[in-house]
PDB file of all heavy atoms in Angstrom:
ATOM      1  N   GLY A   1      -3.288  47.741 -33.467  1.00 98.00           N
ATOM      2  CA  GLY A   1      -3.967  47.048 -32.393  1.00 98.00           C
ATOM      3  C   GLY A   1      -3.432  45.663 -32.120  1.00 98.00           C
ATOM      4  O   GLY A   1      -3.772  45.056 -31.096  1.00 98.00           O
ATOM      5  N   GLY A   2      -2.582  45.159 -33.003  1.00 98.00           N
ATOM      6  CA  GLY A   2      -2.011  43.840 -32.839  1.00 98.00           C
ATOM      7  C   GLY A   2      -0.812  43.834 -31.924  1.00 98.00           C
ATOM      8  O   GLY A   2      -0.440  44.856 -31.343  1.00 98.00           O
ATOM      9  N   SER A   3      -0.183  42.657 -31.815  1.00 98.00           N
ATOM     10  CA  SER A   3       0.943  42.478 -30.904  1.00 98.00           C
ATOM     11  C   SER A   3       2.095  41.766 -31.589  1.00 98.00           C
ATOM     12  O   SER A   3       1.901  40.981 -32.519  1.00 98.00           O
ATOM     13  CB  SER A   3       0.521  41.660 -29.674  1.00 98.00           C
ATOM     14  OG  SER A   3      -0.498  42.311 -28.933  1.00 98.00           O
ATOM     15  N   LEU A   4       3.299  42.045 -31.111  1.00 98.00           N
ATOM     16  CA  LEU A   4       4.508  41.353 -31.517  1.00 98.00           C
ATOM     17  C   LEU A   4       5.403  41.195 -30.301  1.00 98.00           C
ATOM     18  O   LEU A   4       5.354  42.011 -29.378  1.00 98.00           O
ATOM     19  CB  LEU A   4       5.274  42.118 -32.600  1.00 98.00           C
ATOM     20  CG  LEU A   4       4.757  42.088 -34.035  1.00 98.00           C
ATOM     21  CD1 LEU A   4       5.596  43.041 -34.890  1.00 98.00           C
ATOM     22  CD2 LEU A   4       4.805  40.683 -34.601  1.00 98.00           C
ATOM     23  N   ARG A   5       6.232  40.163 -30.310  1.00 98.00           N
ATOM     24  CA  ARG A   5       7.243  39.994 -29.277  1.00 98.00           C
ATOM     25  C   ARG A   5       8.607  39.880 -29.926  1.00 98.00           C
ATOM     26  O   ARG A   5       8.860  38.940 -30.685  1.00 98.00           O
ATOM     27  CB  ARG A   5       6.984  38.761 -28.407  1.00 98.00           C
ATOM     28  CG  ARG A   5       7.923  38.708 -27.189  1.00 98.00           C
ATOM     29  CD  ARG A   5       7.696  37.498 -26.301  1.00 98.00           C
ATOM     30  NE  ARG A   5       8.202  36.272 -26.901  1.00 98.00           N
ATOM     31  CZ  ARG A   5       8.397  35.136 -26.238  1.00 98.00           C
ATOM     32  NH1 ARG A   5       8.108  35.079 -24.939  1.00 98.00           N
ATOM     33  NH2 ARG A   5       8.851  34.067 -26.863  1.00 98.00           N
ATOM     34  N   LEU A   6       9.466  40.838 -29.641  1.00 98.00           N
ATOM     35  CA  LEU A   6      10.830  40.817 -30.125  1.00 98.00           C
ATOM     36  C   LEU A   6      11.722  40.096 -29.125  1.00 98.00           C
ATOM     37  O   LEU A   6      11.514  40.190 -27.919  1.00 98.00           O
ATOM     38  CB  LEU A   6      11.359  42.236 -30.338  1.00 98.00           C
ATOM     39  CG  LEU A   6      10.526  43.171 -31.220  1.00 98.00           C
ATOM     40  CD1 LEU A   6      11.238  44.508 -31.371  1.00 98.00           C
ATOM     41  CD2 LEU A   6      10.250  42.539 -32.577  1.00 98.00           C
ATOM     42  N   SER A   7      12.711  39.386 -29.632  1.00 98.00           N
ATOM     43  CA  SER A   7      13.660  38.715 -28.770  1.00 98.00           C
ATOM     44  C   SER A   7      15.078  39.086 -29.165  1.00 98.00           C
ATOM     45  O   SER A   7      15.357  39.382 -30.327  1.00 98.00           O
ATOM     46  CB  SER A   7      13.483  37.191 -28.810  1.00 98.00           C
ATOM     47  OG  SER A   7      13.749  36.687 -30.100  1.00 98.00           O
ATOM     48  N   CYS A   8      15.968  39.061 -28.197  1.00 95.00           N
ATOM     49  CA  CYS A   8      17.373  39.384 -28.407  1.00 95.00           C
ATOM     50  C   CYS A   8      18.196  38.395 -27.603  1.00 95.00           C
ATOM     51  O   CYS A   8      18.226  38.473 -26.367  1.00 95.00           O
ATOM     52  CB  CYS A   8      17.658  40.824 -27.985  1.00 95.00           C
ATOM     53  SG  CYS A   8      19.387  41.318 -28.096  1.00 95.00           S
ATOM     54  N   ALA A   9      18.846  37.469 -28.293  1.00 93.00           N
ATOM     55  CA  ALA A   9      19.643  36.439 -27.642  1.00 93.00           C
ATOM     56  C   ALA A   9      21.095  36.876 -27.570  1.00 93.00           C
ATOM     57  O   ALA A   9      21.688  37.262 -28.579  1.00 93.00           O
ATOM     58  CB  ALA A   9      19.521  35.120 -28.391  1.00 93.00           C
ATOM     59  N   ALA A  10      21.681  36.793 -26.388  1.00 88.00           N
ATOM     60  CA  ALA A  10      23.057  37.208 -26.158  1.00 88.00           C
ATOM     61  C   ALA A  10      23.982  36.003 -26.095  1.00 88.00           C
ATOM     62  O   ALA A  10      23.636  34.973 -25.516  1.00 88.00           O
ATOM     63  CB  ALA A  10      23.162  38.015 -24.865  1.00 88.00           C
ATOM     64  N   SER A  11      25.173  36.143 -26.682  1.00 87.00           N
ATOM     65  CA  SER A  11      26.145  35.054 -26.665  1.00 87.00           C
ATOM     66  C   SER A  11      26.774  34.879 -25.296  1.00 87.00           C
ATOM     67  O   SER A  11      27.206  33.784 -24.944  1.00 87.00           O
ATOM     68  CB  SER A  11      27.232  35.305 -27.712  1.00 87.00           C
ATOM     69  OG  SER A  11      27.940  36.500 -27.440  1.00 87.00           O
ATOM     70  N   ALA A  12      26.850  35.948 -24.521  1.00 74.00           N
ATOM     71  CA  ALA A  12      27.402  35.902 -23.177  1.00 74.00           C
ATOM     72  C   ALA A  12      26.293  35.668 -22.161  1.00 74.00           C
ATOM     73  O   ALA A  12      25.117  35.910 -22.440  1.00 74.00           O
ATOM     74  CB  ALA A  12      28.144  37.193 -22.850  1.00 74.00           C
ATOM     75  N   SER A  13      26.686  35.202 -21.000  1.00 70.00           N
ATOM     76  CA  SER A  13      25.727  35.029 -19.916  1.00 70.00           C
ATOM     77  C   SER A  13      25.075  36.359 -19.597  1.00 70.00           C
ATOM     78  O   SER A  13      25.740  37.393 -19.533  1.00 70.00           O
ATOM     79  CB  SER A  13      26.404  34.471 -18.674  1.00 70.00           C
ATOM     80  OG  SER A  13      25.547  34.493 -17.559  1.00 70.00           O
ATOM     81  N   ILE A  14      23.780  36.332 -19.379  1.00 65.00           N
ATOM     82  CA  ILE A  14      23.061  37.560 -19.096  1.00 65.00           C
ATOM     83  C   ILE A  14      23.499  38.161 -17.761  1.00 65.00           C
ATOM     84  O   ILE A  14      23.297  39.349 -17.519  1.00 65.00           O
ATOM     85  CB  ILE A  14      21.539  37.322 -19.139  1.00 65.00           C
ATOM     86  CG1 ILE A  14      20.796  38.635 -19.386  1.00 65.00           C
ATOM     87  CG2 ILE A  14      21.050  36.637 -17.876  1.00 65.00           C
ATOM     88  CD1 ILE A  14      19.359  38.441 -19.806  1.00 65.00           C
ATOM     89  N   PHE A  15      24.126  37.355 -16.920  1.00 67.00           N
ATOM     90  CA  PHE A  15      24.646  37.874 -15.651  1.00 67.00           C
ATOM     91  C   PHE A  15      25.860  38.773 -15.866  1.00 67.00           C
ATOM     92  O   PHE A  15      26.221  39.534 -14.966  1.00 67.00           O
ATOM     93  CB  PHE A  15      24.993  36.728 -14.711  1.00 67.00           C
ATOM     94  CG  PHE A  15      23.814  35.952 -14.225  1.00 67.00           C
ATOM     95  CD1 PHE A  15      23.564  34.666 -14.685  1.00 67.00           C
ATOM     96  CD2 PHE A  15      22.940  36.502 -13.312  1.00 67.00           C
ATOM     97  CE1 PHE A  15      22.472  33.949 -14.239  1.00 67.00           C
ATOM     98  CE2 PHE A  15      21.835  35.795 -12.856  1.00 67.00           C
ATOM     99  CZ  PHE A  15      21.602  34.514 -13.321  1.00 67.00           C
ATOM    100  N   SER A  16      26.502  38.681 -17.038  1.00 78.00           N
ATOM    101  CA  SER A  16      27.622  39.553 -17.360  1.00 78.00           C
ATOM    102  C   SER A  16      27.162  40.892 -17.918  1.00 78.00           C
ATOM    103  O   SER A  16      27.979  41.791 -18.090  1.00 78.00           O
ATOM    104  CB  SER A  16      28.550  38.871 -18.370  1.00 78.00           C
ATOM    105  OG  SER A  16      29.072  37.659 -17.852  1.00 78.00           O
ATOM    106  N   ILE A  17      25.879  41.006 -18.211  1.00 82.00           N
ATOM    107  CA  ILE A  17      25.315  42.203 -18.819  1.00 82.00           C
ATOM    108  C   ILE A  17      24.623  43.033 -17.745  1.00 82.00           C
ATOM    109  O   ILE A  17      23.687  42.559 -17.108  1.00 82.00           O
ATOM    110  CB  ILE A  17      24.340  41.836 -19.943  1.00 82.00           C
ATOM    111  CG1 ILE A  17      25.065  41.023 -21.014  1.00 82.00           C
ATOM    112  CG2 ILE A  17      23.706  43.084 -20.536  1.00 82.00           C
ATOM    113  CD1 ILE A  17      24.163  40.471 -22.090  1.00 82.00           C
ATOM    114  N   SER A  18      25.081  44.260 -17.577  1.00 84.00           N
ATOM    115  CA  SER A  18      24.533  45.117 -16.540  1.00 84.00           C
ATOM    116  C   SER A  18      23.248  45.806 -16.966  1.00 84.00           C
ATOM    117  O   SER A  18      22.413  46.137 -16.120  1.00 84.00           O
ATOM    118  CB  SER A  18      25.565  46.159 -16.107  1.00 84.00           C
ATOM    119  OG  SER A  18      25.948  46.977 -17.200  1.00 84.00           O
ATOM    120  N   ALA A  19      23.097  46.041 -18.267  1.00 89.00           N
ATOM    121  CA  ALA A  19      21.908  46.721 -18.761  1.00 89.00           C
ATOM    122  C   ALA A  19      21.632  46.310 -20.198  1.00 89.00           C
ATOM    123  O   ALA A  19      22.556  46.018 -20.964  1.00 89.00           O
ATOM    124  CB  ALA A  19      22.070  48.238 -18.671  1.00 89.00           C
ATOM    125  N   MET A  20      20.366  46.298 -20.565  1.00 92.00           N
ATOM    126  CA  MET A  20      19.970  46.057 -21.940  1.00 92.00           C
ATOM    127  C   MET A  20      18.851  47.020 -22.285  1.00 92.00           C
ATOM    128  O   MET A  20      18.111  47.467 -21.407  1.00 92.00           O
ATOM    129  CB  MET A  20      19.515  44.616 -22.163  1.00 92.00           C
ATOM    130  CG  MET A  20      20.593  43.584 -21.911  1.00 92.00           C
ATOM    131  SD  MET A  20      20.152  41.926 -22.494  1.00 92.00           S
ATOM    132  CE  MET A  20      20.329  42.158 -24.273  1.00 92.00           C
ATOM    133  N   GLY A  21      18.750  47.329 -23.556  1.00 94.00           N
ATOM    134  CA  GLY A  21      17.718  48.248 -23.990  1.00 94.00           C
ATOM    135  C   GLY A  21      17.291  47.997 -25.416  1.00 94.00           C
ATOM    136  O   GLY A  21      17.998  47.350 -26.190  1.00 94.00           O
ATOM    137  N   TRP A  22      16.111  48.492 -25.727  1.00 97.00           N
ATOM    138  CA  TRP A  22      15.589  48.465 -27.081  1.00 97.00           C
ATOM    139  C   TRP A  22      15.493  49.887 -27.591  1.00 97.00           C
ATOM    140  O   TRP A  22      14.971  50.771 -26.901  1.00 97.00           O
ATOM    141  CB  TRP A  22      14.215  47.792 -27.142  1.00 97.00           C
ATOM    142  CG  TRP A  22      14.248  46.312 -26.939  1.00 97.00           C
ATOM    143  CD1 TRP A  22      14.074  45.630 -25.789  1.00 97.00           C
ATOM    144  CD2 TRP A  22      14.465  45.326 -27.965  1.00 97.00           C
ATOM    145  NE1 TRP A  22      14.167  44.277 -26.009  1.00 97.00           N
ATOM    146  CE2 TRP A  22      14.409  44.063 -27.333  1.00 97.00           C
ATOM    147  CE3 TRP A  22      14.702  45.383 -29.334  1.00 97.00           C
ATOM    148  CZ2 TRP A  22      14.582  42.863 -28.034  1.00 97.00           C
ATOM    149  CZ3 TRP A  22      14.871  44.198 -30.034  1.00 97.00           C
ATOM    150  CH2 TRP A  22      14.810  42.961 -29.380  1.00 97.00           C
ATOM    151  N   TYR A  23      16.001  50.110 -28.792  1.00 98.00           N
ATOM    152  CA  TYR A  23      15.927  51.387 -29.476  1.00 98.00           C
ATOM    153  C   TYR A  23      15.205  51.183 -30.796  1.00 98.00           C
ATOM    154  O   TYR A  23      15.106  50.068 -31.301  1.00 98.00           O
ATOM    155  CB  TYR A  23      17.327  51.954 -29.730  1.00 98.00           C
ATOM    156  CG  TYR A  23      18.086  52.349 -28.484  1.00 98.00           C
ATOM    157  CD1 TYR A  23      18.599  51.394 -27.618  1.00 98.00           C
ATOM    158  CD2 TYR A  23      18.299  53.692 -28.174  1.00 98.00           C
ATOM    159  CE1 TYR A  23      19.296  51.760 -26.475  1.00 98.00           C
ATOM    160  CE2 TYR A  23      18.998  54.065 -27.044  1.00 98.00           C
ATOM    161  CZ  TYR A  23      19.497  53.088 -26.198  1.00 98.00           C
ATOM    162  OH  TYR A  23      20.193  53.460 -25.073  1.00 98.00           O
ATOM    163  N   ARG A  24      14.705  52.266 -31.365  1.00 98.00           N
ATOM    164  CA  ARG A  24      14.079  52.172 -32.673  1.00 98.00           C
ATOM    165  C   ARG A  24      14.411  53.408 -33.492  1.00 98.00           C
ATOM    166  O   ARG A  24      14.667  54.482 -32.959  1.00 98.00           O
ATOM    167  CB  ARG A  24      12.561  51.998 -32.558  1.00 98.00           C
ATOM    168  CG  ARG A  24      11.813  53.198 -32.001  1.00 98.00           C
ATOM    169  CD  ARG A  24      10.345  52.854 -31.797  1.00 98.00           C
ATOM    170  NE  ARG A  24       9.572  53.985 -31.302  1.00 98.00           N
ATOM    171  CZ  ARG A  24       8.306  53.910 -30.916  1.00 98.00           C
ATOM    172  NH1 ARG A  24       7.653  52.748 -30.975  1.00 98.00           N
ATOM    173  NH2 ARG A  24       7.675  54.994 -30.478  1.00 98.00           N
ATOM    174  N   GLN A  25      14.396  53.220 -34.805  1.00 98.00           N
ATOM    175  CA  GLN A  25      14.680  54.309 -35.718  1.00 98.00           C
ATOM    176  C   GLN A  25      13.753  54.216 -36.920  1.00 98.00           C
ATOM    177  O   GLN A  25      13.764  53.225 -37.646  1.00 98.00           O
ATOM    178  CB  GLN A  25      16.141  54.278 -36.172  1.00 98.00           C
ATOM    179  CG  GLN A  25      16.553  55.472 -37.002  1.00 98.00           C
ATOM    180  CD  GLN A  25      18.057  55.560 -37.187  1.00 98.00           C
ATOM    181  OE1 GLN A  25      18.767  54.565 -37.054  1.00 98.00           O
ATOM    182  NE2 GLN A  25      18.546  56.750 -37.472  1.00 98.00           N
ATOM    183  N   ALA A  26      12.955  55.252 -37.104  1.00 97.00           N
ATOM    184  CA  ALA A  26      12.071  55.358 -38.251  1.00 97.00           C
ATOM    185  C   ALA A  26      12.755  56.166 -39.346  1.00 97.00           C
ATOM    186  O   ALA A  26      13.661  56.959 -39.060  1.00 97.00           O
ATOM    187  CB  ALA A  26      10.756  56.017 -37.845  1.00 97.00           C
ATOM    188  N   PRO A  27      12.343  55.994 -40.602  1.00 92.00           N
ATOM    189  CA  PRO A  27      12.959  56.758 -41.696  1.00 92.00           C
ATOM    190  C   PRO A  27      12.897  58.262 -41.449  1.00 92.00           C
ATOM    191  O   PRO A  27      11.843  58.794 -41.095  1.00 92.00           O
ATOM    192  CB  PRO A  27      12.119  56.360 -42.909  1.00 92.00           C
ATOM    193  CG  PRO A  27      11.602  55.002 -42.576  1.00 92.00           C
ATOM    194  CD  PRO A  27      11.332  55.055 -41.099  1.00 92.00           C
ATOM    195  N   GLY A  28      14.030  58.929 -41.611  1.00 93.00           N
ATOM    196  CA  GLY A  28      14.090  60.365 -41.437  1.00 93.00           C
ATOM    197  C   GLY A  28      14.121  60.842 -40.004  1.00 93.00           C
ATOM    198  O   GLY A  28      14.081  62.055 -39.767  1.00 93.00           O
ATOM    199  N   LYS A  29      14.192  59.928 -39.051  1.00 96.00           N
ATOM    200  CA  LYS A  29      14.207  60.292 -37.646  1.00 96.00           C
ATOM    201  C   LYS A  29      15.443  59.720 -36.961  1.00 96.00           C
ATOM    202  O   LYS A  29      16.050  58.760 -37.430  1.00 96.00           O
ATOM    203  CB  LYS A  29      12.949  59.794 -36.932  1.00 96.00           C
ATOM    204  CG  LYS A  29      11.653  60.357 -37.475  1.00 96.00           C
ATOM    205  CD  LYS A  29      10.454  59.858 -36.698  1.00 96.00           C
ATOM    206  CE  LYS A  29      10.453  60.361 -35.272  1.00 96.00           C
ATOM    207  NZ  LYS A  29       9.231  59.934 -34.528  1.00 96.00           N
ATOM    208  N   GLN A  30      15.813  60.332 -35.842  1.00 96.00           N
ATOM    209  CA  GLN A  30      16.939  59.843 -35.060  1.00 96.00           C
ATOM    210  C   GLN A  30      16.544  58.599 -34.268  1.00 96.00           C
ATOM    211  O   GLN A  30      15.373  58.386 -33.962  1.00 96.00           O
ATOM    212  CB  GLN A  30      17.439  60.928 -34.100  1.00 96.00           C
ATOM    213  CG  GLN A  30      18.044  62.143 -34.784  1.00 96.00           C
ATOM    214  CD  GLN A  30      18.643  63.122 -33.784  1.00 96.00           C
ATOM    215  OE1 GLN A  30      18.624  62.891 -32.576  1.00 96.00           O
ATOM    216  NE2 GLN A  30      19.186  64.206 -34.292  1.00 96.00           N
ATOM    217  N   ARG A  31      17.537  57.791 -33.954  1.00 97.00           N
ATOM    218  CA  ARG A  31      17.297  56.621 -33.134  1.00 97.00           C
ATOM    219  C   ARG A  31      16.876  57.062 -31.734  1.00 97.00           C
ATOM    220  O   ARG A  31      17.482  57.959 -31.144  1.00 97.00           O
ATOM    221  CB  ARG A  31      18.549  55.749 -33.072  1.00 97.00           C
ATOM    222  CG  ARG A  31      18.346  54.417 -32.389  1.00 97.00           C
ATOM    223  CD  ARG A  31      19.579  53.529 -32.541  1.00 97.00           C
ATOM    224  NE  ARG A  31      19.862  53.242 -33.937  1.00 97.00           N
ATOM    225  CZ  ARG A  31      20.837  52.420 -34.344  1.00 97.00           C
ATOM    226  NH1 ARG A  31      21.600  51.806 -33.463  1.00 97.00           N
ATOM    227  NH2 ARG A  31      21.030  52.222 -35.641  1.00 97.00           N
TER     228      ARG A  31
END
């Protein structure tokens, strides 16, 4: 029921990045 905020800082300008995504992988499961 709680909340978290993940952040991902890029070394390049974000204007150079066409897409970004978040993936997750639990033990014994595929990403």
Side-chain angles (χ1 to χ4, degrees):
S3 299
L4 284 174
R5 189 180 74 165
L6 306 183
S7 63
C8 176
S11 61
S13 171
I14 202 165
F15 292 108
S16 300
I17 301 173
S18 60
M20 298 192 74
W22 288 94
Y23 293 72
R24 67 186 182 187
Q25 187 168 22
K29 299 182 66 177
Q30 294 186 1
R31 188 172 299 184

